[in-house]
Amino acid sequence: MTIRPLMGLFLGSALAAFSSVAWAEDVTVSFLTHWPPETVAKLEAAAATYAKDHPGVKVEVRAVPFGDLLTTLRSQAGQSGGPTITGIYDLWLPELARDKLVNAAPEANATDVTTNWPKGVATAASVGGTVYGYPNEIDVYALNYNKKLFEEAGIQEAPKTWDEFYAAAEKLTNKDKGQQGFGMINSWAAGVVHPFASLLASNGGALVVDGKPQLDSDNAKATFELYEKLIQSGASVATMGTADANTTGPFLDNFVSGKTGMIIMANWWESALKAGMGDRFADIATAPIPVGPKGDGPHSISYSWMTVVSDGASDAEKKAAWDFLAWFNGPTSGENGASAMGDLLQSMGILPSRTSDVAAFSERLKTPFLAGYVSALSEARPFPTVLGGQEFTESLQGHIEAVQFGKETAAEAAAGAQADAAAILEKAAQ
Amino acid sequence: MSGFRKSMVAMLAPSLGLIAIFILVPIALTVWLAFTKWSAQTPFSTATFIGLDNFREIFGTGSVGRDFKGALANTALYSLMSIALILPLSVLFGMLIHQADLRGANILRTILFATYMVPMIAVALVFSKLYSPSEGPINQILGWVGIGPLPWLSSPDTALVSVVLLNVWQQVGYFTILIIAGLTQIPQSIYEAAKMDGARGPALFGFITLPLLKRTLLFSAVIALINAVQVFEPVALVTQGGPVGSTNVMTYHIRRVGIERAQGGLGSAMSVTLLLALVVTVTAVFALARREDRR
C-alpha cells in the first residue's frame, strides 16, 4: 500500500469536513423587527428550531423601537449587514415596492399566501397583483374601558353611540382625582390617526375614497367636532396622552393606573396592558367603536403587518429567507396545527391572519378581551395603503393634535387636513 | 515647482485627500441633490434636475413648507435657549470651582463633567420618566411646595423647554471645564492691581473677568450652538417631534423626510439650508466679536 490512497482519503475527509463547516455557516439571514424582548426570544427559539433541520442557514434577530423600524429598513436594506427579512406595516409597502427595496415573492411562496390567507389580507401584502410578503398579524380597534371606573361612575354598559360615549366620558371625568373620561393619543402617528379613522368609519365616513382624501366631508367634520367637544368639556385631557418611540409613555401609564376611563386601542395592546396592570387587567373590557349620527354601525379600521425580504440581499440569502418564512408561517412549525408565527403573535394578544392559525387559536380568541376584536374584523375598513401614505398619516396627525391642544378649531383642522392630504397624495402619485 | 513645494504637497496630499473624500465630496453631493427630485432608496443616477423647486417647496405655504419652517424655528429657539442657559451657568460653576480655597472643588468638577460623559440616550430615557406628568418625581417634588403638576413633555407649550433643560443638564459640565480653562489664563496680577485701586467683587467680575473671558465665551457659544443644532436623540427617543410638532427640530425632520419618506432631494435641500443658516450665524457671531475687538 502506497501513501497516495491514504493521502487521498485524508484529503477527501478533510474537504468533506471543511465543506460541512463551510455549509454550516453558509447563509446568514437577519430578521429585523420592532417586537419586545420577550417576543424576540420566542422568535430566536423558532429560528433555532429551524436551524436544526437547516444547518446551512442561520437566522439572526435584530430589534429596534417601532419609531425606528422604517428608517432602519430604508437606510440599511440591500447594504452589507442590512436586514434580509423585515416585519413591516402594510402602509409602507407601496413605496418600498416602488423603490425596489422588497423582493417579489417566488411563485411557490406567492401561491402559499394567496391560498392560505383571506383574500383581503393577501391583497394588502401585494402591490399591482404581485405578492411581496407573508402576512402575519391583523389589527383592529375597539373601545377599551375600565369596568371599575364605569361602576364608580354609575355607568351600566359600554356606550354604543357618540351621544352615549360623550355622556360616559363626562361622567368618568373627575378633575380632583386627575381622571379623564376618554384618552386621546399624541406624538405617535398611527396611534393618533387610527382611533380617529375608526370613529370616522363608524360615522359613515372614510379617510380616502378612490385615491382622493375625504377629510372635509360632513362625516369627518363631525369627527373633528367630537374631539373638540371632548377636549373643551375637559372629558379628554390632551397632556395625558403623550406616547414615546416605544408606544408607551403617559398615555399607557394613565390608562393602566386607572386615570383614564376609556381609550380606543388595537388588540396588540393586550400584552402591554397585562404587563402594566397585572391582576387589574380583569377590570378592562372591550366594546365596539361607538357609532356616530351618520354611521350605519361600528367599524374599526384594520391594518396588517407582513414580513418582506430585501431585494438587495444575495440570491442565496433571498432563497433562505423565503424558505424560512414559508416554514415559520406554515402549519407545521407551531403547535396543534398552528404556525410558529401564530404562536408568537398570540403570546402578544395579536390576531393571526392565516386561516389555519385562526382555526387553531379559535378557543384562545374567545377570551373576553380578544373576542371584542375578533367580532370587529368582519366589519372593519382597511386603512388606505396608498403612495405617500406615511406622509398623509403624519400630516393628519398634526391636525388632530392641533385640535387636541386647542391650536386649531374642528373646522380649521378639517379644511387644513383636506388641503394637505390632497397635495400629498397628488404629489406621491406623480 | 521647487523641491520644498513638491515635498510640501506630497506631505499634505494624504490628509487633504481624505478631507476631500470624506467631507467635501458628501457636501458637494448633498448640494447637487438639493436641486434634484430623488428617492433616497434609488441610485444617484435616478435623480432628475428640478432647479429650485425643492427650495420653493420648503419655503412655501404647503404642509412641507409649514413643517420645515416650524422645525427651523424650533431649532433656532432650542439653540438660543440652550446657549442662554448654558453660558451663564457654566460661568457661575466655573467661578465657584476656580476659587482656590473652595473645599471639594475637584469633586464638584468631576460631578459636573460626569453628566457630559453619560450617553444622551440614557439621559433621554431617564428624563422621560422624571418628566412623567402623573408619576414623575419632578412633579411629585414640585407638588410638595404647591407647584404643578406641570405637563413637561406632554404639552406643546412646555415640551421644547423640557428638552432644553435636559440638554443643559448634560452639557453644562463640559462648558464649565472650558470656562475654568479660560479663567486660569487670566493673570492674578491684574486682579491684584485692580484691588489695590479699590475694585471689589462685581467690579472685578464685570471689568476684568468677563472681558478677559470673552474669547472663551465666544468659542463656547459657537460650540454650544453647533451642538444644539445637532440635537436628535431626545427628540427621536422621547417626543417623536410632538406634541403638535413642538419639538420637531431640523435633524429629526430631515431624517423623517429624507430617510423615512425617502424624499432625498427635499431632505438635501433642507440640509443645505440648515448648513447655510449655521454658517451665516457663526460668521455673524465672529464678525460681531471682531468689531468689538477693534473698539
mmCIF file of all heavy atoms in Angstrom, chain B residues 209-246:
data_model
loop_
_atom_site.group_PDB
_atom_site.id
_atom_site.type_symbol
_atom_site.label_atom_id
_atom_site.label_comp_id
_atom_site.label_asym_id
_atom_site.label_seq_id
_atom_site.Cartn_x
_atom_site.Cartn_y
_atom_site.Cartn_z
ATOM 1 N N THR B 209 -12.878 89.917 34.721
ATOM 2 C CA THR B 209 -13.153 88.510 34.370
ATOM 3 C C THR B 209 -13.890 88.388 33.037
ATOM 4 O O THR B 209 -13.426 87.699 32.134
ATOM 5 C CB THR B 209 -13.988 87.835 35.481
ATOM 6 O OG1 THR B 209 -13.331 88.045 36.735
ATOM 7 C CG2 THR B 209 -14.116 86.337 35.237
ATOM 8 N N LEU B 210 -15.032 89.057 32.936
ATOM 9 C CA LEU B 210 -15.841 88.895 31.712
ATOM 10 C C LEU B 210 -15.107 89.338 30.447
ATOM 11 O O LEU B 210 -15.066 88.586 29.466
ATOM 12 C CB LEU B 210 -17.157 89.656 31.857
ATOM 13 C CG LEU B 210 -18.365 88.848 32.313
ATOM 14 C CD1 LEU B 210 -19.645 89.668 32.174
ATOM 15 C CD2 LEU B 210 -18.513 87.550 31.521
ATOM 16 N N PRO B 211 -14.492 90.539 30.450
ATOM 17 C CA PRO B 211 -13.796 90.944 29.209
ATOM 18 C C PRO B 211 -12.670 89.986 28.825
ATOM 19 O O PRO B 211 -12.497 89.679 27.653
ATOM 20 C CB PRO B 211 -13.237 92.333 29.551
ATOM 21 C CG PRO B 211 -14.081 92.827 30.660
ATOM 22 C CD PRO B 211 -14.495 91.635 31.443
ATOM 23 N N LEU B 212 -11.933 89.501 29.831
ATOM 24 C CA LEU B 212 -10.797 88.626 29.508
ATOM 25 C C LEU B 212 -11.257 87.185 29.212
ATOM 26 O O LEU B 212 -10.490 86.358 28.746
ATOM 27 C CB LEU B 212 -9.770 88.641 30.640
ATOM 28 C CG LEU B 212 -9.062 89.986 30.800
ATOM 29 C CD1 LEU B 212 -8.070 89.954 31.953
ATOM 30 C CD2 LEU B 212 -8.327 90.390 29.521
ATOM 31 N N LEU B 213 -12.502 86.917 29.510
ATOM 32 C CA LEU B 213 -13.053 85.581 29.231
ATOM 33 C C LEU B 213 -13.786 85.566 27.885
ATOM 34 O O LEU B 213 -14.337 84.544 27.479
ATOM 35 C CB LEU B 213 -14.046 85.229 30.360
ATOM 36 C CG LEU B 213 -14.273 83.753 30.725
ATOM 37 C CD1 LEU B 213 -12.972 83.046 31.025
ATOM 38 C CD2 LEU B 213 -15.234 83.650 31.892
ATOM 39 N N LYS B 214 -13.753 86.717 27.214
ATOM 40 C CA LYS B 214 -14.581 86.860 26.012
ATOM 41 C C LYS B 214 -14.287 85.806 24.944
ATOM 42 O O LYS B 214 -15.196 85.230 24.351
ATOM 43 C CB LYS B 214 -14.402 88.261 25.425
ATOM 44 C CG LYS B 214 -15.600 88.678 24.598
ATOM 45 C CD LYS B 214 -15.545 90.114 24.200
ATOM 46 C CE LYS B 214 -14.614 90.277 23.012
ATOM 47 N NZ LYS B 214 -14.508 91.680 22.579
ATOM 48 N N ARG B 215 -13.001 85.545 24.714
ATOM 49 C CA ARG B 215 -12.661 84.577 23.657
ATOM 50 C C ARG B 215 -13.169 83.174 24.027
ATOM 51 O O ARG B 215 -13.676 82.439 23.186
ATOM 52 C CB ARG B 215 -11.145 84.536 23.440
ATOM 53 C CG ARG B 215 -10.677 85.723 22.654
ATOM 54 C CD ARG B 215 -9.179 85.677 22.400
ATOM 55 N NE ARG B 215 -8.767 86.903 21.758
ATOM 56 C CZ ARG B 215 -8.909 87.159 20.463
ATOM 57 N NH1 ARG B 215 -9.453 86.257 19.690
ATOM 58 N NH2 ARG B 215 -8.518 88.305 19.944
ATOM 59 N N THR B 216 -13.013 82.824 25.296
ATOM 60 C CA THR B 216 -13.518 81.509 25.742
ATOM 61 C C THR B 216 -15.034 81.445 25.595
ATOM 62 O O THR B 216 -15.588 80.441 25.152
ATOM 63 C CB THR B 216 -13.137 81.269 27.222
ATOM 64 O OG1 THR B 216 -11.744 81.455 27.358
ATOM 65 C CG2 THR B 216 -13.524 79.878 27.678
ATOM 66 N N LEU B 217 -15.695 82.551 25.973
ATOM 67 C CA LEU B 217 -17.162 82.576 25.866
ATOM 68 C C LEU B 217 -17.606 82.488 24.405
ATOM 69 O O LEU B 217 -18.588 81.810 24.090
ATOM 70 C CB LEU B 217 -17.707 83.861 26.499
ATOM 71 C CG LEU B 217 -17.744 83.870 28.025
ATOM 72 C CD1 LEU B 217 -18.114 85.248 28.547
ATOM 73 C CD2 LEU B 217 -18.754 82.839 28.549
ATOM 74 N N LEU B 218 -16.852 83.158 23.536
ATOM 75 C CA LEU B 218 -17.182 83.119 22.116
ATOM 76 C C LEU B 218 -17.050 81.696 21.580
ATOM 77 O O LEU B 218 -17.945 81.184 20.897
ATOM 78 C CB LEU B 218 -16.251 84.061 21.345
ATOM 79 C CG LEU B 218 -16.492 84.162 19.847
ATOM 80 C CD1 LEU B 218 -17.831 84.827 19.559
ATOM 81 C CD2 LEU B 218 -15.367 84.936 19.167
ATOM 82 N N PHE B 219 -15.943 81.065 21.915
ATOM 83 C CA PHE B 219 -15.721 79.681 21.484
ATOM 84 C C PHE B 219 -16.830 78.774 22.042
ATOM 85 O O PHE B 219 -17.405 77.953 21.322
ATOM 86 C CB PHE B 219 -14.346 79.208 21.962
ATOM 87 C CG PHE B 219 -14.067 77.765 21.675
ATOM 88 C CD1 PHE B 219 -13.765 77.340 20.392
ATOM 89 C CD2 PHE B 219 -14.120 76.818 22.697
ATOM 90 C CE1 PHE B 219 -13.523 76.004 20.121
ATOM 91 C CE2 PHE B 219 -13.885 75.474 22.440
ATOM 92 C CZ PHE B 219 -13.582 75.071 21.148
ATOM 93 N N SER B 220 -17.134 78.961 23.339
ATOM 94 C CA SER B 220 -18.178 78.137 23.981
ATOM 95 C C SER B 220 -19.528 78.345 23.298
ATOM 96 O O SER B 220 -20.281 77.376 23.071
ATOM 97 C CB SER B 220 -18.319 78.480 25.464
ATOM 98 O OG SER B 220 -17.117 78.218 26.126
ATOM 99 N N ALA B 221 -19.828 79.599 22.972
ATOM 100 C CA ALA B 221 -21.123 79.890 22.340
ATOM 101 C C ALA B 221 -21.227 79.191 20.986
ATOM 102 O O ALA B 221 -22.271 78.618 20.651
ATOM 103 C CB ALA B 221 -21.304 81.390 22.175
ATOM 104 N N VAL B 222 -20.141 79.222 20.225
ATOM 105 C CA VAL B 222 -20.173 78.594 18.894
ATOM 106 C C VAL B 222 -20.318 77.069 19.030
ATOM 107 O O VAL B 222 -21.124 76.448 18.328
ATOM 108 C CB VAL B 222 -18.901 78.965 18.094
ATOM 109 C CG1 VAL B 222 -18.802 78.128 16.823
ATOM 110 C CG2 VAL B 222 -18.918 80.442 17.750
ATOM 111 N N ILE B 223 -19.566 76.487 19.948
ATOM 112 C CA ILE B 223 -19.672 75.030 20.134
ATOM 113 C C ILE B 223 -21.069 74.656 20.644
ATOM 114 O O ILE B 223 -21.680 73.689 20.188
ATOM 115 C CB ILE B 223 -18.597 74.526 21.134
ATOM 116 C CG1 ILE B 223 -17.198 74.787 20.568
ATOM 117 C CG2 ILE B 223 -18.774 73.039 21.454
ATOM 118 C CD1 ILE B 223 -16.866 74.023 19.299
ATOM 119 N N ALA B 224 -21.593 75.460 21.590
ATOM 120 C CA ALA B 224 -22.943 75.185 22.123
ATOM 121 C C ALA B 224 -23.979 75.298 21.017
ATOM 122 O O ALA B 224 -24.933 74.513 20.960
ATOM 123 C CB ALA B 224 -23.272 76.153 23.259
ATOM 124 N N LEU B 225 -23.773 76.264 20.121
ATOM 125 C CA LEU B 225 -24.707 76.439 19.003
ATOM 126 C C LEU B 225 -24.678 75.215 18.077
ATOM 127 O O LEU B 225 -25.731 74.677 17.712
ATOM 128 C CB LEU B 225 -24.337 77.703 18.212
ATOM 129 C CG LEU B 225 -25.118 77.932 16.910
ATOM 130 C CD1 LEU B 225 -26.579 78.238 17.202
ATOM 131 C CD2 LEU B 225 -24.500 79.064 16.096
ATOM 132 N N ILE B 226 -23.472 74.784 17.732
ATOM 133 C CA ILE B 226 -23.357 73.627 16.829
ATOM 134 C C ILE B 226 -23.954 72.379 17.490
ATOM 135 O O ILE B 226 -24.698 71.630 16.861
ATOM 136 C CB ILE B 226 -21.879 73.401 16.432
ATOM 137 C CG1 ILE B 226 -21.404 74.583 15.567
ATOM 138 C CG2 ILE B 226 -21.697 72.087 15.683
ATOM 139 C CD1 ILE B 226 -19.921 74.632 15.325
ATOM 140 N N ASN B 227 -23.659 72.197 18.774
ATOM 141 C CA ASN B 227 -24.243 71.047 19.500
ATOM 142 C C ASN B 227 -25.769 71.124 19.505
ATOM 143 O O ASN B 227 -26.460 70.116 19.318
ATOM 144 C CB ASN B 227 -23.755 71.018 20.952
ATOM 145 C CG ASN B 227 -22.329 70.540 21.052
ATOM 146 O OD1 ASN B 227 -21.746 70.093 20.059
ATOM 147 N ND2 ASN B 227 -21.741 70.642 22.228
ATOM 148 N N ALA B 228 -26.281 72.335 19.732
ATOM 149 C CA ALA B 228 -27.735 72.496 19.842
ATOM 150 C C ALA B 228 -28.414 72.212 18.501
ATOM 151 O O ALA B 228 -29.462 71.575 18.453
ATOM 152 C CB ALA B 228 -28.075 73.902 20.322
ATOM 153 N N VAL B 229 -27.808 72.684 17.424
ATOM 154 C CA VAL B 229 -28.402 72.463 16.100
ATOM 155 C C VAL B 229 -28.447 70.971 15.773
ATOM 156 O O VAL B 229 -29.316 70.505 15.053
ATOM 157 C CB VAL B 229 -27.606 73.254 15.031
ATOM 158 C CG1 VAL B 229 -27.973 72.804 13.627
ATOM 159 C CG2 VAL B 229 -27.873 74.741 15.181
ATOM 160 N N GLN B 230 -27.503 70.230 16.345
ATOM 161 C CA GLN B 230 -27.440 68.798 16.042
ATOM 162 C C GLN B 230 -28.292 67.936 16.982
ATOM 163 O O GLN B 230 -28.213 66.713 16.934
ATOM 164 C CB GLN B 230 -25.988 68.319 16.102
ATOM 165 C CG GLN B 230 -25.165 68.873 14.936
ATOM 166 C CD GLN B 230 -23.708 68.514 15.028
ATOM 167 O OE1 GLN B 230 -23.243 68.019 16.047
ATOM 168 N NE2 GLN B 230 -22.976 68.773 13.969
ATOM 169 N N VAL B 231 -29.094 68.554 17.820
ATOM 170 C CA VAL B 231 -29.906 67.759 18.775
ATOM 171 C C VAL B 231 -30.754 66.742 18.004
ATOM 172 O O VAL B 231 -31.372 67.066 17.004
ATOM 173 C CB VAL B 231 -30.805 68.667 19.640
ATOM 174 C CG1 VAL B 231 -31.748 69.497 18.774
ATOM 175 C CG2 VAL B 231 -31.623 67.835 20.620
ATOM 176 N N PHE B 232 -30.743 65.504 18.476
ATOM 177 C CA PHE B 232 -31.510 64.462 17.789
ATOM 178 C C PHE B 232 -32.069 63.409 18.759
ATOM 179 O O PHE B 232 -33.272 63.148 18.778
ATOM 180 C CB PHE B 232 -30.634 63.775 16.724
ATOM 181 C CG PHE B 232 -31.356 62.677 15.980
ATOM 182 C CD1 PHE B 232 -32.238 62.987 14.963
ATOM 183 C CD2 PHE B 232 -31.170 61.345 16.321
ATOM 184 C CE1 PHE B 232 -32.932 61.988 14.290
ATOM 185 C CE2 PHE B 232 -31.853 60.342 15.657
ATOM 186 C CZ PHE B 232 -32.739 60.663 14.635
ATOM 187 N N GLU B 233 -31.177 62.815 19.564
ATOM 188 C CA GLU B 233 -31.580 61.653 20.373
ATOM 189 C C GLU B 233 -32.806 61.896 21.261
ATOM 190 O O GLU B 233 -33.743 61.089 21.224
ATOM 191 C CB GLU B 233 -30.428 61.140 21.242
ATOM 192 C CG GLU B 233 -29.288 60.529 20.480
ATOM 193 C CD GLU B 233 -28.133 61.494 20.374
ATOM 194 O OE1 GLU B 233 -28.402 62.712 20.226
ATOM 195 O OE2 GLU B 233 -26.978 61.053 20.446
ATOM 196 N N PRO B 234 -32.845 62.972 22.069
ATOM 197 C CA PRO B 234 -34.012 63.108 22.956
ATOM 198 C C PRO B 234 -35.312 63.247 22.177
ATOM 199 O O PRO B 234 -36.355 62.761 22.616
ATOM 200 C CB PRO B 234 -33.708 64.375 23.778
ATOM 201 C CG PRO B 234 -32.625 65.075 23.060
ATOM 202 C CD PRO B 234 -31.868 64.056 22.281
ATOM 203 N N VAL B 235 -35.229 63.878 21.014
ATOM 204 C CA VAL B 235 -36.439 64.048 20.201
ATOM 205 C C VAL B 235 -36.858 62.689 19.607
ATOM 206 O O VAL B 235 -38.019 62.300 19.680
ATOM 207 C CB VAL B 235 -36.186 65.086 19.083
ATOM 208 C CG1 VAL B 235 -37.375 65.151 18.136
ATOM 209 C CG2 VAL B 235 -35.924 66.448 19.695
ATOM 210 N N ALA B 236 -35.890 61.980 19.047
ATOM 211 C CA ALA B 236 -36.213 60.695 18.416
ATOM 212 C C ALA B 236 -36.697 59.679 19.443
ATOM 213 O O ALA B 236 -37.587 58.878 19.158
ATOM 214 C CB ALA B 236 -34.998 60.156 17.681
ATOM 215 N N LEU B 237 -36.125 59.716 20.638
ATOM 216 C CA LEU B 237 -36.452 58.689 21.625
ATOM 217 C C LEU B 237 -37.684 59.008 22.452
ATOM 218 O O LEU B 237 -38.437 58.112 22.808
ATOM 219 C CB LEU B 237 -35.278 58.515 22.593
ATOM 220 C CG LEU B 237 -34.083 57.745 22.069
ATOM 221 C CD1 LEU B 237 -32.903 57.950 22.970
ATOM 222 C CD2 LEU B 237 -34.429 56.280 21.977
ATOM 223 N N VAL B 238 -37.862 60.277 22.747
ATOM 224 C CA VAL B 238 -38.876 60.609 23.748
ATOM 225 C C VAL B 238 -40.100 61.303 23.161
ATOM 226 O O VAL B 238 -41.231 60.911 23.431
ATOM 227 C CB VAL B 238 -38.258 61.485 24.857
ATOM 228 C CG1 VAL B 238 -39.295 61.800 25.921
ATOM 229 C CG2 VAL B 238 -37.070 60.798 25.488
ATOM 230 N N THR B 239 -39.889 62.321 22.335
ATOM 231 C CA THR B 239 -41.054 63.124 21.925
ATOM 232 C C THR B 239 -41.511 62.851 20.506
ATOM 233 O O THR B 239 -42.619 63.225 20.129
ATOM 234 C CB THR B 239 -40.742 64.631 22.038
ATOM 235 O OG1 THR B 239 -39.719 64.947 21.077
ATOM 236 C CG2 THR B 239 -40.275 64.999 23.427
ATOM 237 N N GLN B 240 -40.681 62.252 19.681
ATOM 238 C CA GLN B 240 -41.029 61.996 18.272
ATOM 239 C C GLN B 240 -41.452 63.290 17.574
ATOM 240 O O GLN B 240 -42.317 63.271 16.695
ATOM 241 C CB GLN B 240 -42.165 60.970 18.180
ATOM 242 C CG GLN B 240 -41.860 59.639 18.855
ATOM 243 C CD GLN B 240 -41.040 58.733 17.960
ATOM 244 O OE1 GLN B 240 -41.496 58.228 16.969
ATOM 245 N NE2 GLN B 240 -39.780 58.551 18.306
ATOM 246 N N GLY B 241 -40.881 64.401 18.004
ATOM 247 C CA GLY B 241 -41.196 65.685 17.369
ATOM 248 C C GLY B 241 -42.469 66.338 17.890
ATOM 249 O O GLY B 241 -42.776 67.473 17.534
ATOM 250 N N GLY B 242 -43.227 65.646 18.722
ATOM 251 C CA GLY B 242 -44.507 66.175 19.192
ATOM 252 C C GLY B 242 -44.406 66.767 20.575
ATOM 253 O O GLY B 242 -43.305 66.896 21.098
ATOM 254 N N PRO B 243 -45.504 67.157 21.168
ATOM 255 C CA PRO B 243 -46.850 67.187 20.596
ATOM 256 C C PRO B 243 -47.037 68.364 19.627
ATOM 257 O O PRO B 243 -46.422 69.416 19.825
ATOM 258 C CB PRO B 243 -47.753 67.365 21.816
ATOM 259 C CG PRO B 243 -46.886 67.381 23.014
ATOM 260 C CD PRO B 243 -45.486 67.523 22.596
ATOM 261 N N VAL B 244 -47.881 68.165 18.641
ATOM 262 C CA VAL B 244 -48.189 69.146 17.597
ATOM 263 C C VAL B 244 -46.919 69.722 16.973
ATOM 264 O O VAL B 244 -46.847 70.915 16.689
ATOM 265 C CB VAL B 244 -49.098 70.290 18.116
ATOM 266 C CG1 VAL B 244 -49.945 70.834 16.959
ATOM 267 C CG2 VAL B 244 -50.001 69.879 19.220
ATOM 268 N N GLY B 245 -45.897 68.908 16.797
ATOM 269 C CA GLY B 245 -44.680 69.364 16.136
ATOM 270 C C GLY B 245 -43.844 70.323 16.960
ATOM 271 O O GLY B 245 -42.910 70.940 16.453
ATOM 272 N N SER B 246 -44.142 70.459 18.254
ATOM 273 C CA SER B 246 -43.457 71.478 19.064
ATOM 274 C C SER B 246 -41.987 71.147 19.325
ATOM 275 O O SER B 246 -41.211 72.024 19.676
ATOM 276 C CB SER B 246 -44.190 71.674 20.402
ATOM 277 O OG SER B 246 -44.220 70.447 21.108
#
